[in-house]
Amino acid sequence: MLVKTRLQRRRGGALIASCLLLASCAYLYPDADPQPVRDDNELHFDAAYYSQNAKEYFGGEHYAKARQQWANQLKLEDNWMARLGVASCDFHIGNLSIDLGDLKGGRQRLQRAEAAVRELWDGSIEADTRAAANAPVRQWQAALILAMTHRALSDCDRMESRIFAQRLASLPPGDARITKFASARNDLDARNLANVLQASSLLDKLCAMENPSERASLNYAEVLAGGGKHVAAEKHFKAYLEVARNSVAVHEKNRETEVEKPGNSSRKRFVLQQYDGKIASANKKRAAVLVRLGNIHFDDGAKQRQIEADTEKSDSLRTHARKNAKKHFVSALSYLHEARVLEPESLHILVKMAQCKGELGQFEFAIRNLDQYIRICAEQHLQADDNIHRAYRMKSEFERKLTERRNGK
């Protein structure tokens, strides 16, 4: 990030007086040569300076500023990593645009990123991320950005397909636009499938590397989960969690080392804050993945419950479904508990834990979780919304079931 200089203003009165004196004597000197007009786009530093700025901006998720700094670097030298940096920024800016509702602008950014990365990627992927960590050209990183871009483009395809589906549903029979909209939707669905397949193929190769990137593991897990391949997805989610856990351990060890070091207290405080921020960020991401796993197992358990309740199914199949449902709810509860330890301020986890306990027949414990959720919401003066009303309804239901059990029903 750009280093800020501190302008020290000293002897203000004397400076003003000297300026007035010079102004009054200006007629004693010839006119100064005209100064050239400064170009705001003029580069005043070397390529390494802009490269470092770009990396720091990128790390802070200031993607537009990072892109500008890498663009400045490229004006001074043709650098492969800087070009990849520009493409990476376009990918992230495109994703943010989509999140803000600008589907057209987001797609254009993503397409720009895809075109740029395809020029950089030669089709190969190194065997080990660590061995290529300091290489001036890292093909695996280009492949990763390309895979994530295809994932994002598939999201665009799905969203646009849903828009056309809504339009089709609103048209009266015989409307001349039906054929046009149906054709557009079919094209989007086909493009979505192609993007998913390309992302999946790349991520599969990236996850087969030695010391695979945690981003590759996480993206592949999401692709697999989106396709209903939950067992395979869980494997890659766990791979991500292992890498993230090791990263936190390294940060914590480095922090301890820094505490023991002699030196300037201000600098030490700054470094410790940096480590604290990295640890907190990593734990937040770990908690999100754990909640994701909890939700996947809960949904799978709910599907098994439906099979169990289907009287047209055989008794053996229903019994098997009941056992599977219990396994899923137990796994979901385990993941959610771990997430709660990492991020105790996330109240929504308490409600999901209560749901799991309710499905397992642990009504008393479920009610305790809901009471805790309701109490904390009141203490924080949170406005009553659908989530709080839902928690009250869930509590009432569990209290009813608990009473029925105690009465032998």
Side-chain angles (χ1 to χ4, degrees):
M1 201 173 285
L2 294 175
V3 178
K4 296 181 180 178
T5 59
R6 179 179 298 172
L7 298 178
Q8 298 183 355
R9 297 177 176 85
R10 298 178 178 175
R11 301 177 182 174
L15 178 60
I16 294 171
S18 62
C19 289
L20 290 173
L21 179 61
L22 287 172
S24 64
C25 299
Y27 66 92
L28 298 174
Y29 304 94
D31 292 338
D33 292 333
Q35 295 296 314
V37 176
R38 177 171 175 174
D39 183 359
D40 290 337
N41 295 321
E42 184 180 353
L43 303 181
H44 301 283
F45 303 98
D46 62 13
Y49 174 84
Y50 294 113
S51 174
Q52 183 60 32
N53 282 346
K55 292 172 185 175
E56 293 184 9
Y57 277 131
F58 191 86
E61 300 182 359
H62 301 293
Y63 300 117
K65 292 181 179 179
R67 191 186 193 284
Q68 181 59 55
Q69 294 299 300
W70 269 314
N72 287 342
Q73 180 186 356
L74 288 170
K75 291 177 183 178
L76 299 171
E77 64 177 10
D78 184 14
N79 184 284
W80 190 93
M81 288 300 296
R83 290 165 64 194
L84 183 63
V86 170
S88 299
C89 290
D90 281 333
F91 159 74
H92 285 288
I93 294 171
N95 256 347
L96 290 171
S97 297
I98 293 169
D99 290 341
L100 294 172
D102 182 9
L103 190 57
K104 181 180 178 181
R107 183 186 283 281
Q108 289 174 345
R109 278 281 189 175
L110 292 172
Q111 290 172 335
R112 182 192 303 177
E114 180 193 4
V117 176
R118 287 205 176 277
E119 289 183 4
L120 296 170
W121 188 48
D122 65 5
S124 67
I125 294 176
E126 296 88 347
D128 188 343
T129 58
R130 291 181 184 174
N134 298 314
V137 173
R138 303 166 207 165
Q139 292 295 339
W140 75 267
Q141 287 191 351
L144 177 58
I145 296 299
L146 187 58
M148 292 193 299
T149 302
H150 279 300
R151 268 202 71 204
L153 285 169
S154 76
D155 290 339
C156 289
D157 296 332
R158 283 197 302 273
M159 284 187 278
E160 285 193 55
S161 178
R162 284 198 295 268
I163 291 171
F164 277 108
Q166 291 169 357
R167 289 178 179 175
L168 284 168
S170 67
L171 295 178
D175 192 296
R177 292 169 293 177
I178 290 178
T179 302
K180 177 182 176 182
F181 288 168
S183 176
R185 187 188 179 194
N186 289 337
D187 289 344
L188 286 164
D189 291 342
R191 195 161 59 190
N192 169 46
L193 179 60
N195 277 317
V196 170
L197 290 174
Q198 289 189 66
S200 182
S201 176
L202 286 169
L203 290 167
D204 183 49
K205 294 174 183 177
L206 288 162
C207 289
M209 296 176 69
E210 291 292 325
N211 305 300
S213 161
E214 59 187 74
R215 285 197 299 169
S217 296
L218 188 56
N219 274 270
Y220 197 25
E222 289 292 358
V223 169
L224 292 168
K229 300 176 181 178
H230 291 174
V231 175
E234 185 171 13
K235 171 189 170 184
H236 290 283
F237 277 127
K238 285 183 173 180
Y240 166 83
L241 289 170
E242 182 63 24
V243 174
R245 189 181 298 112
N246 292 337
S247 296
V248 170
V250 170
H251 293 324
E252 289 175 340
K253 184 176 180 180
N254 290 339
R255 190 187 189 285
E256 291 175 4
T257 302
E258 185 65 30
V259 170
E260 300 299 326
K261 280 183 182 179
N264 181 277
S265 59
S266 297
R267 179 194 172 280
K268 180 178 289 191
R269 185 163 54 252
F270 173 78
V271 173
L272 292 178
Q273 287 174 348
Q274 296 300 303
Y275 281 127
D276 288 340
K278 291 178 180 179
I279 292 169
S281 176
N283 283 338
K284 185 174 183 178
K285 292 174 183 176
R286 287 168 64 194
V289 170
L290 288 164
V291 170
R292 181 81 169 95
L293 282 166
N295 286 330
I296 287 173
H297 274 286
F298 183 89
D299 292 343
D300 286 346
K303 290 177 182 177
Q304 292 297 311
R305 281 279 190 255
Q306 290 177 350
I307 295 173
E308 179 191 357
D310 189 348
T311 55
E312 295 184 359
K313 304 292 184 183
S314 66
D315 290 343
S316 61
L317 185 60
R318 293 173 65 191
T319 299
H320 186 66
R322 182 173 64 254
K323 292 178 179 178
N324 282 341
K326 182 177 180 180
K327 289 179 182 178
H328 282 301
F329 291 128
V330 168
S331 295
L333 192 56
S334 176
Y335 283 127
L336 293 167
H337 177 74
E338 191 175 350
R340 175 74 180 156
V341 172
L342 285 174
E343 202 171 13
E345 65 275 12
S346 292
L347 299 181
H348 65 92
I349 299 176
L350 284 170
V351 179
K352 201 67 181 183
M353 289 174 68
Q355 281 185 287
C356 292
K357 291 175 181 178
E359 291 290 346
L360 292 168
Q362 301 172 5
F363 300 126
E364 292 183 49
F365 295 106
I367 291 168
R368 289 179 190 176
N369 280 138
L370 293 169
D371 281 339
Q372 186 180 2
Y373 171 78
I374 293 167
R375 175 178 55 79
I376 294 174
C377 287
E379 290 173 351
Q380 295 182 1
H381 304 289
L382 298 180
Q383 185 176 1
D385 57 10
D386 289 340
N387 292 323
I388 294 176
H389 294 317
R390 182 164 163 265
Y392 275 110
R393 289 195 300 271
M394 197 184 303
K395 180 185 174 183
S396 297
E397 181 184 354
F398 292 154
E399 287 174 338
R400 177 182 60 78
K401 290 183 176 180
L402 183 60
T403 301
E404 289 177 352
R405 177 190 290 171
R406 287 171 176 171
N407 292 335
K409 293 183 180 180

